[in-house]
PDB file of all heavy atoms in Angstrom:
ATOM      1  N   ARG A  53      53.341-131.194  77.516  1.00 97.00           N
ATOM      2  CA  ARG A  53      53.597-132.100  76.388  1.00 97.00           C
ATOM      3  C   ARG A  53      53.099-131.558  75.049  1.00 97.00           C
ATOM      4  O   ARG A  53      53.799-131.618  74.047  1.00 97.00           O
ATOM      5  CB  ARG A  53      52.922-133.467  76.629  1.00 97.00           C
ATOM      6  CG  ARG A  53      53.727-134.420  77.455  1.00 97.00           C
ATOM      7  CD  ARG A  53      52.797-135.304  78.246  1.00 97.00           C
ATOM      8  NE  ARG A  53      52.088-134.481  79.205  1.00 97.00           N
ATOM      9  CZ  ARG A  53      52.556-134.186  80.416  1.00 97.00           C
ATOM     10  NH1 ARG A  53      53.672-134.708  80.814  1.00 97.00           N
ATOM     11  NH2 ARG A  53      51.895-133.395  81.228  1.00 97.00           N
ATOM     12  N   THR A  54      51.871-131.081  75.023  1.00 97.00           N
ATOM     13  CA  THR A  54      51.302-130.715  73.720  1.00 97.00           C
ATOM     14  C   THR A  54      52.118-129.594  73.085  1.00 97.00           C
ATOM     15  O   THR A  54      52.545-129.683  71.936  1.00 97.00           O
ATOM     16  CB  THR A  54      49.824-130.291  73.892  1.00 97.00           C
ATOM     17  OG1 THR A  54      49.137-131.367  74.535  1.00 97.00           O
ATOM     18  CG2 THR A  54      49.170-130.006  72.553  1.00 97.00           C
ATOM     19  N   ARG A 104      45.318-123.861  72.002  1.00 98.00           N
ATOM     20  CA  ARG A 104      44.655-124.473  73.178  1.00 98.00           C
ATOM     21  C   ARG A 104      43.848-123.386  73.852  1.00 98.00           C
ATOM     22  O   ARG A 104      44.360-122.281  74.092  1.00 98.00           O
ATOM     23  CB  ARG A 104      45.688-125.065  74.131  1.00 98.00           C
ATOM     24  CG  ARG A 104      45.078-125.484  75.452  1.00 98.00           C
ATOM     25  CD  ARG A 104      45.996-126.325  76.290  1.00 98.00           C
ATOM     26  NE  ARG A 104      46.155-127.660  75.734  1.00 98.00           N
ATOM     27  CZ  ARG A 104      46.780-128.656  76.363  1.00 98.00           C
ATOM     28  NH1 ARG A 104      47.289-128.453  77.568  1.00 98.00           N
ATOM     29  NH2 ARG A 104      46.890-129.841  75.801  1.00 98.00           N
ATOM     30  N   HIS A 132      40.539-133.290  71.883  1.00 98.00           N
ATOM     31  CA  HIS A 132      41.994-133.139  71.889  1.00 98.00           C
ATOM     32  C   HIS A 132      42.544-134.146  70.876  1.00 98.00           C
ATOM     33  O   HIS A 132      43.135-135.157  71.232  1.00 98.00           O
ATOM     34  CB  HIS A 132      42.520-133.405  73.306  1.00 98.00           C
ATOM     35  CG  HIS A 132      43.931-132.997  73.551  1.00 98.00           C
ATOM     36  ND1 HIS A 132      44.822-132.681  72.541  1.00 98.00           N
ATOM     37  CD2 HIS A 132      44.628-132.860  74.713  1.00 98.00           C
ATOM     38  CE1 HIS A 132      45.996-132.367  73.070  1.00 98.00           C
ATOM     39  NE2 HIS A 132      45.896-132.477  74.390  1.00 98.00           N
ATOM     40  N   GLN A 135      46.286-135.543  70.861  1.00 98.00           N
ATOM     41  CA  GLN A 135      46.597-136.491  71.938  1.00 98.00           C
ATOM     42  C   GLN A 135      46.053-137.863  71.552  1.00 98.00           C
ATOM     43  O   GLN A 135      46.698-138.892  71.764  1.00 98.00           O
ATOM     44  CB  GLN A 135      45.980-136.018  73.261  1.00 98.00           C
ATOM     45  CG  GLN A 135      46.223-136.964  74.440  1.00 98.00           C
ATOM     46  CD  GLN A 135      47.691-137.137  74.781  1.00 98.00           C
ATOM     47  OE1 GLN A 135      48.441-136.160  74.814  1.00 98.00           O
ATOM     48  NE2 GLN A 135      48.123-138.372  75.019  1.00 98.00           N
ATOM     49  N   ARG A 165      38.779-134.065  77.746  1.00 97.00           N
ATOM     50  CA  ARG A 165      38.690-133.964  76.283  1.00 97.00           C
ATOM     51  C   ARG A 165      39.464-135.088  75.601  1.00 97.00           C
ATOM     52  O   ARG A 165      39.121-135.523  74.515  1.00 97.00           O
ATOM     53  CB  ARG A 165      39.220-132.604  75.834  1.00 97.00           C
ATOM     54  CG  ARG A 165      40.629-132.289  76.348  1.00 97.00           C
ATOM     55  CD  ARG A 165      40.931-130.821  76.213  1.00 97.00           C
ATOM     56  NE  ARG A 165      42.198-130.434  76.818  1.00 97.00           N
ATOM     57  CZ  ARG A 165      42.508-129.190  77.124  1.00 97.00           C
ATOM     58  NH1 ARG A 165      41.656-128.217  76.909  1.00 97.00           N
ATOM     59  NH2 ARG A 165      43.679-128.895  77.661  1.00 97.00           N
ATOM     60  N   THR A 166      40.532-135.569  76.265  1.00 97.00           N
ATOM     61  CA  THR A 166      41.310-136.664  75.653  1.00 97.00           C
ATOM     62  C   THR A 166      40.421-137.898  75.501  1.00 97.00           C
ATOM     63  O   THR A 166      40.503-138.603  74.508  1.00 97.00           O
ATOM     64  CB  THR A 166      42.547-137.035  76.500  1.00 97.00           C
ATOM     65  OG1 THR A 166      42.110-137.467  77.781  1.00 97.00           O
ATOM     66  CG2 THR A 166      43.488-135.864  76.650  1.00 97.00           C
ATOM     67  N   ARG A 256      43.026-137.997  84.781  1.00 90.00           N
ATOM     68  CA  ARG A 256      43.079-137.228  86.025  1.00 90.00           C
ATOM     69  C   ARG A 256      41.757-136.501  86.218  1.00 90.00           C
ATOM     70  O   ARG A 256      41.112-136.128  85.228  1.00 90.00           O
ATOM     71  CB  ARG A 256      44.272-136.280  85.915  1.00 90.00           C
ATOM     72  CG  ARG A 256      44.046-134.829  86.092  1.00 90.00           C
ATOM     73  CD  ARG A 256      45.243-134.010  85.690  1.00 90.00           C
ATOM     74  NE  ARG A 256      44.908-133.196  84.529  1.00 90.00           N
ATOM     75  CZ  ARG A 256      44.229-132.047  84.604  1.00 90.00           C
ATOM     76  NH1 ARG A 256      43.832-131.584  85.765  1.00 90.00           N
ATOM     77  NH2 ARG A 256      43.943-131.374  83.517  1.00 90.00           N
ATOM     78  N   GLN A 258      39.568-133.580  86.232  1.00 92.00           N
ATOM     79  CA  GLN A 258      39.825-132.307  85.528  1.00 92.00           C
ATOM     80  C   GLN A 258      39.296-131.153  86.390  1.00 92.00           C
ATOM     81  O   GLN A 258      38.390-130.423  85.989  1.00 92.00           O
ATOM     82  CB  GLN A 258      39.130-132.309  84.164  1.00 92.00           C
ATOM     83  CG  GLN A 258      39.461-133.503  83.296  1.00 92.00           C
ATOM     84  CD  GLN A 258      40.823-133.411  82.632  1.00 92.00           C
ATOM     85  OE1 GLN A 258      41.085-132.467  81.899  1.00 92.00           O
ATOM     86  NE2 GLN A 258      41.695-134.371  82.898  1.00 92.00           N
ATOM     87  N   GLU A 260      40.061-128.237  87.179  1.00 90.00           N
ATOM     88  CA  GLU A 260      39.990-126.855  86.702  1.00 90.00           C
ATOM     89  C   GLU A 260      38.707-126.586  85.916  1.00 90.00           C
ATOM     90  O   GLU A 260      38.352-125.436  85.671  1.00 90.00           O
ATOM     91  CB  GLU A 260      41.230-126.481  85.879  1.00 90.00           C
ATOM     92  CG  GLU A 260      41.341-127.096  84.493  1.00 90.00           C
ATOM     93  CD  GLU A 260      41.977-128.491  84.460  1.00 90.00           C
ATOM     94  OE1 GLU A 260      41.779-129.267  85.414  1.00 90.00           O
ATOM     95  OE2 GLU A 260      42.645-128.806  83.457  1.00 90.00           O
ATOM     96  N   ARG A 261      38.012-127.655  85.498  1.00 91.00           N
ATOM     97  CA  ARG A 261      36.769-127.465  84.740  1.00 91.00           C
ATOM     98  C   ARG A 261      35.532-127.694  85.603  1.00 91.00           C
ATOM     99  O   ARG A 261      34.413-127.586  85.137  1.00 91.00           O
ATOM    100  CB  ARG A 261      36.706-128.418  83.551  1.00 91.00           C
ATOM    101  CG  ARG A 261      37.925-128.368  82.705  1.00 91.00           C
ATOM    102  CD  ARG A 261      37.757-128.869  81.302  1.00 91.00           C
ATOM    103  NE  ARG A 261      39.067-129.002  80.691  1.00 91.00           N
ATOM    104  CZ  ARG A 261      39.809-127.979  80.280  1.00 91.00           C
ATOM    105  NH1 ARG A 261      39.352-126.761  80.371  1.00 91.00           N
ATOM    106  NH2 ARG A 261      41.012-128.179  79.772  1.00 91.00           N
ATOM    107  N   PRO A 291      47.130-139.835  79.483  1.00 97.00           N
ATOM    108  CA  PRO A 291      47.651-138.744  78.641  1.00 97.00           C
ATOM    109  C   PRO A 291      48.675-137.885  79.383  1.00 97.00           C
ATOM    110  O   PRO A 291      49.408-137.121  78.754  1.00 97.00           O
ATOM    111  CB  PRO A 291      46.402-137.936  78.297  1.00 97.00           C
ATOM    112  CG  PRO A 291      45.448-138.202  79.418  1.00 97.00           C
ATOM    113  CD  PRO A 291      45.726-139.609  79.873  1.00 97.00           C
ATOM    114  N   LEU A 292      48.704-137.997  80.714  1.00 96.00           N
ATOM    115  CA  LEU A 292      49.516-137.139  81.587  1.00 96.00           C
ATOM    116  C   LEU A 292      49.039-135.680  81.435  1.00 96.00           C
ATOM    117  O   LEU A 292      48.554-135.332  80.353  1.00 96.00           O
ATOM    118  CB  LEU A 292      51.007-137.261  81.291  1.00 96.00           C
ATOM    119  CG  LEU A 292      51.596-138.672  81.466  1.00 96.00           C
ATOM    120  CD1 LEU A 292      53.091-138.671  81.098  1.00 96.00           C
ATOM    121  CD2 LEU A 292      51.402-139.205  82.879  1.00 96.00           C
ATOM    122  N   PRO A 293      49.131-134.821  82.421  1.00 96.00           N
ATOM    123  CA  PRO A 293      49.774-135.070  83.711  1.00 96.00           C
ATOM    124  C   PRO A 293      48.926-135.976  84.604  1.00 96.00           C
ATOM    125  O   PRO A 293      47.708-135.941  84.548  1.00 96.00           O
ATOM    126  CB  PRO A 293      49.846-133.668  84.312  1.00 96.00           C
ATOM    127  CG  PRO A 293      48.706-132.918  83.698  1.00 96.00           C
ATOM    128  CD  PRO A 293      48.547-133.468  82.325  1.00 96.00           C
TER     129      PRO A 293
HETATM  130  C1  NCD B   1      45.626-133.547  78.642  1.00 74.34           C
HETATM  131  C2  NCD B   1      44.845-132.288  78.333  1.00 74.34           C
HETATM  132  O1  NCD B   1      45.389-131.179  78.317  1.00 74.34           O
HETATM  133  O2  NCD B   1      43.657-132.438  78.083  1.00 74.34           O
HETATM  134  N1  NCD B   1      47.014-133.331  78.680  1.00 74.34           N
HETATM  135  C3  NCD B   1      47.744-133.522  77.531  1.00 74.34           C
HETATM  136  O3  NCD B   1      47.602-132.811  76.560  1.00 74.34           O
HETATM  137  N2  NCD B   1      48.553-134.571  77.505  1.00 74.34           N
HETATM  138  C4  NCD B   1      45.133-134.293  79.811  1.00 74.34           C
HETATM  139  C5  NCD B   1      44.920-133.589  81.121  1.00 74.34           C
HETATM  140  O4  NCD B   1      45.202-132.391  81.269  1.00 74.34           O
HETATM  141  O5  NCD B   1      44.444-134.262  82.034  1.00 74.34           O
END
Side-chain angles (χ1 to χ4, degrees):
R53 276 149 294 273
T54 304
R104 170 168 288 189
H132 193 346
Q135 179 62 44
R165 54 196 174 198
T166 61
R256 124 191 114 80
Q258 307 283 302
E260 72 274 34
R261 308 201 191 286
L292 300 178

